[in-house]
């Protein structure tokens, strides 16, 4: 049994999205039956079945959003739970937790596999903080990229997980109200908010050396013209600098990182 996708000859390294498994492959009883028989049980009502978009064998993965929990099922015998590989992140303490209050301490598994050396993969464990205010709001998502290492299936923190990169800006959005009177709205019409939107892309190099690109657009209030930037940055892996979180010199939806 192998957790990982079959390599494509001479193909560039790239992330592989996990997409909903075709209904014809998943009987209605499949997820409840699997969840209750797993060594680490999943919640059938919060679990979805996914496949890797470019995997010709169409290995099935289960993601339980309430865990969060990822289960890689055997590609040739997905019903055999003895061959399943569960990765339980329910006790994982995200690198972002040191900077946020208790109500924002929640995480999710982003449905994608990120390529590592020797046909291994990482996943992104994402923490998202939200702020709401009059006429607007914001969110910032931060990722810890963790090697799917069967020897470390139940990590408690990024110190004891097989983390490749920690504290990486993942996505953001912000809407700030800029009109406060009837006169403002008459004068500026639909341009009464300042808006930000940002997301991460990655180039995957040899020896797990990734290059990150932060894409961000900014629409100032009272205008119709937005500006866009792409900023390249690199950070040391956790193997190079264990337990180290970086000051990146980025503006992430108007906040310094």
């Amino acid at each position: 049994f192998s957790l990982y996708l079959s390599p494509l000859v001479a193909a560039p390294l790239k992330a592989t999205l996990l997409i909903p498994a075709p209904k014809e492959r998943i009987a209605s009883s499949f997820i409840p039956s699997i969840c209750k028989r797993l060594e680490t049980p999943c919640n059938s009502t919060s679990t979805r079945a996914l496949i890797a978009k470019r995997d010709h064998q169409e290995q099935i993965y289960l993601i339980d959003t309430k865990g969060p929990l990822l289960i890689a099922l055997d590609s040739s015998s997905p019903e055999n739970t003895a061959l399943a590989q569960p990765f339980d992140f329910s006790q994982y303490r995200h690198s972002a937790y040191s900077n946020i209050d208790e109500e924002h301490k929640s995480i999710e598994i982003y449905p994608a596999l990120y390529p590592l050396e020797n046909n291994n993969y990482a996943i992104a464990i994402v923490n998202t903080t939200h702020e709401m205010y009059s006429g607007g709001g914001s969110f910032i998502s931060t990722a810890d990229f963790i090697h799917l290492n069967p020897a470390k299936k139940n990590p408690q923190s990024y110190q004891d997980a097989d983390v490749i990169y920690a504290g990486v800006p993942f996505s953001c959005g912000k809407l700030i109200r800029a009109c406060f009177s009837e006169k403002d709205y008459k004068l500026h019409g639909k341009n009464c908010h300042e808006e930000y939107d940002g997301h991460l892309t990655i180039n995957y190099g040899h020896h797990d050396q990734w290059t990150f690109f932060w894409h961000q657009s900014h629409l100032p209030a009272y205008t119709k013209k937005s500006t866009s930037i792409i900023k390249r940055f690199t950070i040391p892996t956790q193997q190079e600098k264990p337990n180290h979180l970086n000051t990146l010199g980025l503006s992430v939806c108007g906040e310094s990182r």
Side-chain angles (χ1 to χ4, degrees):
F1 167 70
S2 173
L3 167 67
Y4 308 112
L5 307 183
S6 301
L8 298 180
V9 176
L13 294 176
K14 61 181 180 180
T16 301
L17 290 176
L18 298 179
I19 61 175
K23 290 184 179 179
E24 59 269 19
R25 290 201 61 198
I26 304 297
S28 59
S29 60
F30 179 81
I31 290 177
S33 173
I34 293 291
C35 279
K36 68 183 180 182
R37 291 187 287 115
L38 284 167
E39 176 187 354
T40 305
C42 51
N43 184 325
S44 61
T45 60
S46 58
T47 297
R48 52 186 175 148
L50 306 166
I51 60 170
K53 192 172 183 181
R54 70 179 181 91
D55 185 8
H56 299 300
Q57 296 179 343
E58 293 191 342
Q59 181 174 352
I60 296 173
Y61 301 81
L62 302 181
I63 290 182
D64 182 352
T65 57
K66 286 189 177 179
L69 175 68
L70 171 73
I71 305 107
L73 302 179
D74 184 68
S75 57
S76 59
S77 182
E79 297 83 5
N80 188 345
T81 54
L83 299 177
Q85 286 276 15
F87 294 87
D88 182 3
F89 296 98
S90 59
Q91 301 302 312
Y92 180 70
R93 184 174 175 81
H94 197 279
S95 65
Y97 284 4
S98 60
N99 299 317
I100 60 177
D101 54 34
E102 196 66 34
E103 68 176 302
H104 291 131
K105 292 182 179 179
S106 63
I107 53 177
E108 61 181 341
I109 298 170
Y110 187 77
L113 300 174
Y114 298 86
L116 301 174
E117 291 278 286
N118 301 317
N119 202 31
N120 291 324
Y121 279 84
I123 57 168
I125 302 296
V126 179
N127 169 262
T128 301
T129 60
H130 297 267
E131 288 191 29
M132 300 299 294
Y133 31 85
S134 177
S138 67
F139 76 90
I140 293 180
S141 296
T142 305
D144 289 352
F145 291 93
I146 302 177
H147 173 209
L148 291 174
N149 182 348
K152 297 185 177 183
K153 296 190 293 186
N154 303 288
Q156 306 296 304
S157 69
Y158 78 94
Q159 286 93 340
D160 63 21
D162 197 354
V163 176
I164 308 301
Y165 293 99
V168 183
F170 196 69
S171 63
C172 70
K174 182 180 283 188
L175 188 69
I176 304 170
R177 180 182 175 187
C179 293
F180 299 93
S181 67
E182 185 177 347
K183 180 180 177 180
D184 290 338
Y185 283 102
K186 284 183 178 179
L187 185 62
H188 301 293
K190 295 181 179 180
N191 305 311
C192 279
H193 288 86
E194 181 179 10
E195 299 179 29
Y196 288 91
D197 183 73
H199 69 274
L200 180 75
T201 60
I202 307 169
N203 281 356
Y204 306 93
H206 296 294
H207 309 297
D208 299 335
Q209 298 295 321
W210 295 358
T211 301
F212 300 96
F213 295 87
W214 182 249
H215 305 251
Q216 186 164 285
S217 63
H218 176 216
L219 177 65
Y222 317 137
T223 70
K224 295 181 179 180
K225 186 175 181 180
S226 64
T227 59
S228 297
I229 61 103
I230 301 175
K231 185 164 183 178
R232 175 186 181 275
F233 65 99
T234 58
I235 57 178
T237 67
Q238 286 293 296
Q239 285 71 24
E240 293 170 320
K241 289 190 174 182
N243 307 330
H244 174 74
L245 294 179
N246 306 274
T247 300
L248 303 175
L250 290 177
S251 172
V252 177
C253 284
E255 297 189 17
S256 297
R257 290 297 172 98

